[in-house]
PDB file of all heavy atoms in Angstrom:
ATOM      1  N   ALA A 155     100.922 162.361 116.556  1.00 64.00           N
ATOM      2  CA  ALA A 155     100.538 163.680 117.089  1.00 64.00           C
ATOM      3  C   ALA A 155     101.487 164.124 118.192  1.00 64.00           C
ATOM      4  O   ALA A 155     101.800 165.313 118.315  1.00 64.00           O
ATOM      5  CB  ALA A 155      99.101 163.630 117.600  1.00 64.00           C
ATOM      6  N   LYS A 156     101.969 163.168 119.001  1.00 67.00           N
ATOM      7  CA  LYS A 156     102.900 163.518 120.077  1.00 67.00           C
ATOM      8  C   LYS A 156     104.281 163.878 119.530  1.00 67.00           C
ATOM      9  O   LYS A 156     104.987 164.701 120.120  1.00 67.00           O
ATOM     10  CB  LYS A 156     103.031 162.338 121.063  1.00 67.00           C
ATOM     11  CG  LYS A 156     101.780 162.104 121.900  1.00 67.00           C
ATOM     12  CD  LYS A 156     101.954 160.893 122.803  1.00 67.00           C
ATOM     13  CE  LYS A 156     100.683 160.615 123.600  1.00 67.00           C
ATOM     14  NZ  LYS A 156     100.808 159.387 124.414  1.00 67.00           N
ATOM     15  N   GLY A 157     104.651 163.270 118.410  1.00 62.00           N
ATOM     16  CA  GLY A 157     105.988 163.492 117.854  1.00 62.00           C
ATOM     17  C   GLY A 157     106.096 164.752 117.004  1.00 62.00           C
ATOM     18  O   GLY A 157     107.187 165.163 116.637  1.00 62.00           O
ATOM     19  N   LEU A 158     104.945 165.350 116.692  1.00 67.00           N
ATOM     20  CA  LEU A 158     104.935 166.549 115.857  1.00 67.00           C
ATOM     21  C   LEU A 158     104.224 167.696 116.554  1.00 67.00           C
ATOM     22  O   LEU A 158     103.334 167.478 117.370  1.00 67.00           O
ATOM     23  CB  LEU A 158     104.227 166.264 114.524  1.00 67.00           C
ATOM     24  CG  LEU A 158     104.810 165.163 113.642  1.00 67.00           C
ATOM     25  CD1 LEU A 158     103.880 164.928 112.461  1.00 67.00           C
ATOM     26  CD2 LEU A 158     106.207 165.518 113.160  1.00 67.00           C
ATOM     27  N   ASP A 159     104.597 168.909 116.212  1.00 64.00           N
ATOM     28  CA  ASP A 159     103.913 170.093 116.722  1.00 64.00           C
ATOM     29  C   ASP A 159     102.753 170.404 115.776  1.00 64.00           C
ATOM     30  O   ASP A 159     102.955 171.001 114.725  1.00 64.00           O
ATOM     31  CB  ASP A 159     104.880 171.280 116.795  1.00 64.00           C
ATOM     32  CG  ASP A 159     104.222 172.531 117.345  1.00 64.00           C
ATOM     33  OD1 ASP A 159     103.121 172.415 117.921  1.00 64.00           O
ATOM     34  OD2 ASP A 159     104.788 173.630 117.192  1.00 64.00           O
ATOM     35  N   LEU A 160     101.559 169.987 116.160  1.00 63.00           N
ATOM     36  CA  LEU A 160     100.398 170.119 115.280  1.00 63.00           C
ATOM     37  C   LEU A 160      99.322 170.984 115.919  1.00 63.00           C
ATOM     38  O   LEU A 160      98.157 170.601 115.981  1.00 63.00           O
ATOM     39  CB  LEU A 160      99.842 168.725 114.938  1.00 63.00           C
ATOM     40  CG  LEU A 160     100.793 167.786 114.221  1.00 63.00           C
ATOM     41  CD1 LEU A 160     100.211 166.383 114.155  1.00 63.00           C
ATOM     42  CD2 LEU A 160     101.108 168.290 112.823  1.00 63.00           C
ATOM     43  N   GLN A 161      99.705 172.138 116.385  1.00 60.00           N
ATOM     44  CA  GLN A 161      98.770 173.020 117.079  1.00 60.00           C
ATOM     45  C   GLN A 161      97.597 173.427 116.196  1.00 60.00           C
ATOM     46  O   GLN A 161      96.483 173.603 116.672  1.00 60.00           O
ATOM     47  CB  GLN A 161      99.513 174.269 117.569  1.00 60.00           C
ATOM     48  CG  GLN A 161     100.533 173.973 118.663  1.00 60.00           C
ATOM     49  CD  GLN A 161     101.234 175.228 119.134  1.00 60.00           C
ATOM     50  OE1 GLN A 161     101.004 176.318 118.630  1.00 60.00           O
ATOM     51  NE2 GLN A 161     102.102 175.069 120.112  1.00 60.00           N
ATOM     52  N   SER A 162      97.848 173.576 114.895  1.00 57.00           N
ATOM     53  CA  SER A 162      96.795 174.053 113.988  1.00 57.00           C
ATOM     54  C   SER A 162      95.611 173.082 113.901  1.00 57.00           C
ATOM     55  O   SER A 162      94.481 173.482 113.611  1.00 57.00           O
ATOM     56  CB  SER A 162      97.363 174.302 112.592  1.00 57.00           C
ATOM     57  OG  SER A 162      97.899 173.120 112.040  1.00 57.00           O
ATOM     58  N   VAL A 163      95.869 171.800 114.123  1.00 62.00           N
ATOM     59  CA  VAL A 163      94.776 170.811 114.045  1.00 62.00           C
ATOM     60  C   VAL A 163      94.660 170.010 115.340  1.00 62.00           C
ATOM     61  O   VAL A 163      94.016 168.961 115.367  1.00 62.00           O
ATOM     62  CB  VAL A 163      94.977 169.847 112.839  1.00 62.00           C
ATOM     63  CG1 VAL A 163      94.788 170.569 111.530  1.00 62.00           C
ATOM     64  CG2 VAL A 163      96.343 169.174 112.907  1.00 62.00           C
ATOM     65  N   GLY A 164      95.273 170.516 116.397  1.00 64.00           N
ATOM     66  CA  GLY A 164      95.277 169.783 117.668  1.00 64.00           C
ATOM     67  C   GLY A 164      93.903 169.472 118.203  1.00 64.00           C
ATOM     68  O   GLY A 164      93.649 168.348 118.678  1.00 64.00           O
ATOM     69  N   THR A 165      92.995 170.448 118.133  1.00 74.00           N
ATOM     70  CA  THR A 165      91.635 170.213 118.662  1.00 74.00           C
ATOM     71  C   THR A 165      90.880 169.201 117.810  1.00 74.00           C
ATOM     72  O   THR A 165      90.110 168.398 118.331  1.00 74.00           O
ATOM     73  CB  THR A 165      90.838 171.530 118.738  1.00 74.00           C
ATOM     74  OG1 THR A 165      90.835 172.148 117.429  1.00 74.00           O
ATOM     75  CG2 THR A 165      91.448 172.485 119.748  1.00 74.00           C
ATOM     76  N   ASP A 166      91.093 169.233 116.495  1.00 77.00           N
ATOM     77  CA  ASP A 166      90.437 168.273 115.607  1.00 77.00           C
ATOM     78  C   ASP A 166      90.938 166.859 115.862  1.00 77.00           C
ATOM     79  O   ASP A 166      90.158 165.900 115.858  1.00 77.00           O
ATOM     80  CB  ASP A 166      90.687 168.637 114.135  1.00 77.00           C
ATOM     81  CG  ASP A 166      89.896 169.860 113.701  1.00 77.00           C
ATOM     82  OD1 ASP A 166      89.018 170.302 114.458  1.00 77.00           O
ATOM     83  OD2 ASP A 166      90.168 170.388 112.607  1.00 77.00           O
ATOM     84  N   ILE A 167      92.246 166.725 116.077  1.00 78.00           N
ATOM     85  CA  ILE A 167      92.821 165.403 116.370  1.00 78.00           C
ATOM     86  C   ILE A 167      92.268 164.861 117.679  1.00 78.00           C
ATOM     87  O   ILE A 167      91.906 163.694 117.784  1.00 78.00           O
ATOM     88  CB  ILE A 167      94.363 165.488 116.421  1.00 78.00           C
ATOM     89  CG1 ILE A 167      94.919 165.732 115.007  1.00 78.00           C
ATOM     90  CG2 ILE A 167      94.981 164.214 117.004  1.00 78.00           C
ATOM     91  CD1 ILE A 167      96.396 166.039 114.970  1.00 78.00           C
ATOM     92  N   ALA A 168      92.188 165.731 118.683  1.00 76.00           N
ATOM     93  CA  ALA A 168      91.645 165.321 119.982  1.00 76.00           C
ATOM     94  C   ALA A 168      90.190 164.887 119.840  1.00 76.00           C
ATOM     95  O   ALA A 168      89.762 163.887 120.441  1.00 76.00           O
ATOM     96  CB  ALA A 168      91.771 166.464 120.987  1.00 76.00           C
ATOM     97  N   ALA A 169      89.430 165.621 119.049  1.00 78.00           N
ATOM     98  CA  ALA A 169      88.008 165.297 118.843  1.00 78.00           C
ATOM     99  C   ALA A 169      87.855 163.953 118.142  1.00 78.00           C
ATOM    100  O   ALA A 169      87.069 163.101 118.560  1.00 78.00           O
ATOM    101  CB  ALA A 169      87.329 166.395 118.029  1.00 78.00           C
ATOM    102  N   ALA A 170      88.636 163.750 117.072  1.00 78.00           N
ATOM    103  CA  ALA A 170      88.549 162.497 116.313  1.00 78.00           C
ATOM    104  C   ALA A 170      88.951 161.296 117.175  1.00 78.00           C
ATOM    105  O   ALA A 170      88.408 160.203 117.030  1.00 78.00           O
ATOM    106  CB  ALA A 170      89.436 162.573 115.074  1.00 78.00           C
ATOM    107  N   SER A 171      89.891 161.519 118.089  1.00 77.00           N
ATOM    108  CA  SER A 171      90.378 160.436 118.944  1.00 77.00           C
ATOM    109  C   SER A 171      89.346 159.973 119.959  1.00 77.00           C
ATOM    110  O   SER A 171      89.456 158.862 120.496  1.00 77.00           O
ATOM    111  CB  SER A 171      91.644 160.884 119.687  1.00 77.00           C
ATOM    112  OG  SER A 171      92.667 161.197 118.769  1.00 77.00           O
TER     113      SER A 171
END
Side-chain angles (χ1 to χ4, degrees):
K156 290 178 182 176
L158 301 174
D159 181 14
L160 299 170
Q161 293 180 358
S162 61
V163 291
T165 55
D166 287 349
I167 290 171
S171 298

